[in-house]
Amino acid sequence: MARICVFCASSLTIDPRYVELASRVGAALAARGHDLVSGGGSVSMMGAVAQAVRAGGRHTIGVIPQALVDREVADHDADELIVTPDMRSRKGRMDELADAFLTLPGGIGTLEELTEVWTAASLGLHAKPVVVLDPTGLYAPLHELIRRLTDEGFLHGNAASALVWTTGIDEALTAIEQGLGGPAVSPTITDQVESAP
């Protein structure tokens, strides 16, 4: 059993197939005995994944900043709802609570969360699996950009391999389970120099 942090959209304007995907991911997490750490929202994909995890009998932890609670989008049905003062502390708390990270389709907030945990993994700051689930190819341009950055020498060492790309739910959860408890990525000296202030 692991606590899986799922990054995904909370937008009400997305195609319903993405909400359905989130619901199926939540059901699969529960079926495989995992708990959920989420951004603590009750709407769209974020709400769907949490509802499905709870329906499957597993524990959900939502972490949400006070400003979003004030907008009445908090998942008050969460088994634990942690309210933080701001977005930065929200992400830090989610990172602390999670054993692994799974990114579903999402917008700018999802991309920020993904790149932050991926960067930390690539620098050896944590050994938690970072997996992208992209069944529709939405992230194909990002995947291609990462390939190009690697080819051009902007990504060195194990940075690109610290991010696992998948297209199916079972594939994504298997990648997470196989990566749990693994060693942290050892950054190359070039990675360390590039990340220095």
Side-chain angles (χ1 to χ4, degrees):
M1 190 272 306
R3 287 180 175 171
I4 311 299
C5 183
V6 176
F7 302 134
C8 60
S10 58
S11 169
L12 297 175
T13 61
I14 60 171
D15 189 309
R17 68 185 166 147
Y18 292 116
V19 177
E20 164 62 20
L21 170 67
S23 187
R24 289 188 291 120
V25 166
L29 283 170
R32 290 171 85 139
H34 300 301
D35 294 332
L36 174 71
V37 176
S38 79
S42 62
V43 298
S44 191
M45 293 176 73
M46 198 179 296
V49 71
Q51 290 167 15
V53 168
R54 285 192 294 273
R58 299 304 303 182
H59 192 81
T60 61
I61 303 171
V63 185
I64 190 167
Q66 184 64 53
L68 295 182
V69 173
D70 294 343
R71 292 184 186 176
E72 299 180 1
V73 297
D75 181 9
H76 293 288
D77 292 328
D79 296 299
E80 296 178 56
L81 186 63
I82 300 168
V83 180
T84 64
D86 53 42
M87 292 292 279
R88 286 179 185 259
S89 53
R90 172 204 213 180
K91 290 187 301 177
R93 191 71 177 116
M94 290 169 70
D95 294 355
E96 290 170 9
L97 290 166
D99 299 312
F101 304 95
L102 176 60
T103 300
L104 306 183
I108 192 168
T110 303
L111 288 173
E112 180 196 20
E113 291 164 336
L114 168 62
T115 56
E116 188 167 321
V117 296
W118 173 41
T119 299
S122 71
L123 295 174
L125 300 177
H126 70 75
K128 301 172 183 181
V130 181
V131 176
V132 175
L133 172 57
D134 186 20
T136 65
L138 179 71
Y139 289 132
L142 176 61
H143 197 179
E144 180 55 35
L145 174 62
I146 291 168
R147 279 202 272 292
R148 178 90 186 269
L149 291 170
T150 303
D151 291 346
E152 296 289 337
F154 291 102
L155 291 180
H156 298 282
N158 297 318
S161 65
L163 183 58
V164 178
W165 294 88
T166 63
T167 58
I169 295 171
D170 286 338
E171 178 190 12
L173 296 184
T174 297
I176 285 172
E177 291 162 353
Q178 289 174 345
L180 289 170
V185 170
S186 297
T188 65
I189 191 67
T190 305
D191 293 332
Q192 294 170 8
V193 169
E194 286 184 350
S195 65

